[in-house]
Amino acid sequence: MPNLYTDLEIPQLKISVRQPLGLFINNEFCPSSDGKTIETVNPSTGEVITSFQAASEKDVDKAVKAARDAFENVWSKTSAEQRGIYLSNLLKLIEEEQETLAALETLDAGKPFHSNAMGDLAQIMQLTRYFAGSADKYNKGDTIPLSSEKFAYTLKVPFGVVAQIIPWNYPLAMACWKLQGALAAGNTLVIKPAENTSLSLLYFATLIKKAGFPAGVVNILPGYGMLVGKSLASHMDVDKISFTGSTKVGGFVLEASGQSNLKDVTLECGGKSPALVFEDADLDKAVDWIAAGIFYNSGQNCTANSRVYVQSSIYDKFVEKFKEIAKKDWDVSGNFDPFDEKCLVGPVISSTQYDRIKEFIELGKKEEKLSMFQTSEFPVEQAKGYFIPPTIFTDVPQSSRLLQEEIFGPVVVVSKFENYDDAMKLANDTCYGLASAIFTGDVKKAHMFARDIKAGTVWVNSSNDEDVTVPFGGFKMSGIGRELGQSGVDTYLQTKAVHVNLK
Ligand SMILES: NC(=O)C1=CN([C@@H]2O[C@H](COP(=O)(O)OP(=O)(O)OC[C@H]3O[C@@H](n4cnc5c(N)ncnc54)[C@H](O)[C@@H]3O)[C@@H](O)[C@H]2O)C=CC1
Ligand code: BAL
């Protein structure tokens, strides 16, 4: 029998974590059926932390069956109020264990503990509170009068077994964006964390069990995307799938649904979100928001404002201030321990992502010969892990690959525009439509922008300050469907129409 737990020491916080390493099926940790494991690496040091069990197709069948049995026999008979009570129990446990959960995010995903990791936990607690309260509120249908002898009503019913595929940039937060709403709506779940960030969700499984959720309601299957993710997407007994990750894999998930049982699909995919700065904006505030909107989480945000367009009259001033703030507030140099309070920009997630981002930087510098500023020397000689200094490319043409493709790192492109029409044309010229931001003192221009931009989220005089009560999702190739807010429950419910004949 393989070891299904290990003790992880985190000396910076003086804590030791009893870390589960198995698949979580029917409220028990178990080994994978074929004995395969995956090593997970600390991105701030490049060192292996531990290895965990990697699910096989057989394990996928086992987890889906557990979820199906739990749905048919227990969860579909559990009242909405009781579902809310389980979620409230979970909230209490998350509150008690927030430091441990955040520490695992720092260890496994490299997130600066005090800012990013604890920030993720704050959001997770808020959304768990929100969805606990929503379990008995958003599952109501309508009555539709038809004639004196006929009426119809609608029932909002859960799909049944829902699969969820999670990315590595917000391992626990993205899982919770999906998990809590789906449970509030009355579904049972099989969740696959990303292969490089599975530890926090496996630890979270222990809280699911302690909170009292019946066996089989939540099943967690660490493993490879090409195997576990693919098998869930094409599984004949999964009723709905929700995915967050690259647009390319989102397409595969949609295709797998079409080739199997037409399961309902929600996709949260990539982005190349624009931020527009007009000459009537408060420039200092715009610079602060835009720097945070690209450099927070080392730029690994689907909504990162990775394209910045600035009105030509203030362009030079903006660029000067932007470089200053990047250097002052977001530099990587000097602190490579994400548990240290002074570390604000952590490493990127993996050597693969590091190499990918480095290639983009080389492309901009050498092939496209763009003007580039970095807050410190790159490669960062003193760092063992995957640290990339904030990088700003200026005067970038619209055709540049750096401006069109999602880089998913602390790399931003800045360009000029002359007037509103010019700016809108540039801002909408992309296959993505996830988020957008405008900085202006003119309220009319702000509302025109909200009308004209093709994006699922619009920020007026701010950026990347999402709230769990507000729906989130993309236009165009950024996704299908919405999460968070009431949509976070609605997306896990389907409508049944009942026609009643009184004659
Ligand atoms: N929108 C977002 O939040 C995210 C966007 N990305 C984008 O994707 C790029 C590449 O990162 P990757 O790790 O390769 O992203 P990815 O899209 O491959 O990974 C996301 C999740 O999908 C799973 N997956 C992979 N192949 C699958 C398949 N065939 N069927 C079902 N599930 C599958 C992975 O195991 C992981 O859990 C990033 O540079 C970034 O541009 C990555 C992560 C999150
Ligand atoms: N900001 C949370 C969504 C994402 O970046 O993946």
Side-chain angles (χ1 to χ4, degrees), residues 165-170 174 192-196 223-231 233 241 243-250 252-253 268-271 300-302 353 356 406-408 432 434:
I165 300 178
I166 312 299
W168 42 259
N169 56 338
Y170 288 86
M174 285 304 107
K192 191 202 94 60
E195 41 273 56
N196 34 17
Y224 289 107
M226 276 303 287
L227 200 155
V228 180
K230 196 171 166 193
S231 159
I241 188 155
F243 165 86
T244 298
S246 61
T247 294
K248 184 172 160 204
V249 174
F252 293 155
V253 169
E268 301 285 5
C269 298
Q300 302 169 120
N301 298 309
C302 53
Q353 285 301 109
R356 194 172 165 272
E406 187 178 50
I407 301 175
F408 228 63
Y432 296 116
L434 193 55

Side-chain angles (χ1 to χ4, degrees), residues 11-29:
Q12 295 94 328
L13 298 177
K14 299 189 177 62
I15 60 173
S16 168
V17 182
R18 186 158 188 258
Q19 174 64 46
L21 303 171
L23 319 178
F24 184 70
I25 301 176
N26 265 326
N27 274 1
E28 299 299 336
F29 290 102

Side-chain angles (χ1 to χ4, degrees), residues 23 25 30-36 53-60 62:
L23 319 178
I25 301 176
C30 54
S32 73
S33 64
D34 60 9
K36 296 241 163 76
Q53 299 292 303
S56 66
E57 273 184 53
K58 206 166 149 196
D59 298 317
V60 172
K62 188 174 155 194

Side-chain angles (χ1 to χ4, degrees), residues 84-142:
I85 291 170
Y86 288 130
L87 284 166
S88 299
N89 298 345
L90 182 62
L91 170 64
K92 203 162 164 284
L93 294 164
I94 299 171
E95 283 168 348
E96 283 167 18
E97 301 242 26
Q98 55 183 294
E99 285 218 341
T100 300
L101 292 164
L104 289 173
E105 296 296 55
T106 301
L107 195 66
D108 209 17
K111 282 174 184 270
F113 178 78
H114 296 277
S115 49
N116 295 48
M118 286 303 280
D120 286 8
L121 262 296
Q123 188 195 57
I124 289 166
M125 290 183 281
Q126 193 199 351
L127 72 81
T128 309
R129 199 170 297 118
Y130 180 89
F131 286 122
S134 74
D136 57 1
K137 295 179 187 64
Y138 296 153
N139 52 355
K140 294 190 187 97
D142 294 318

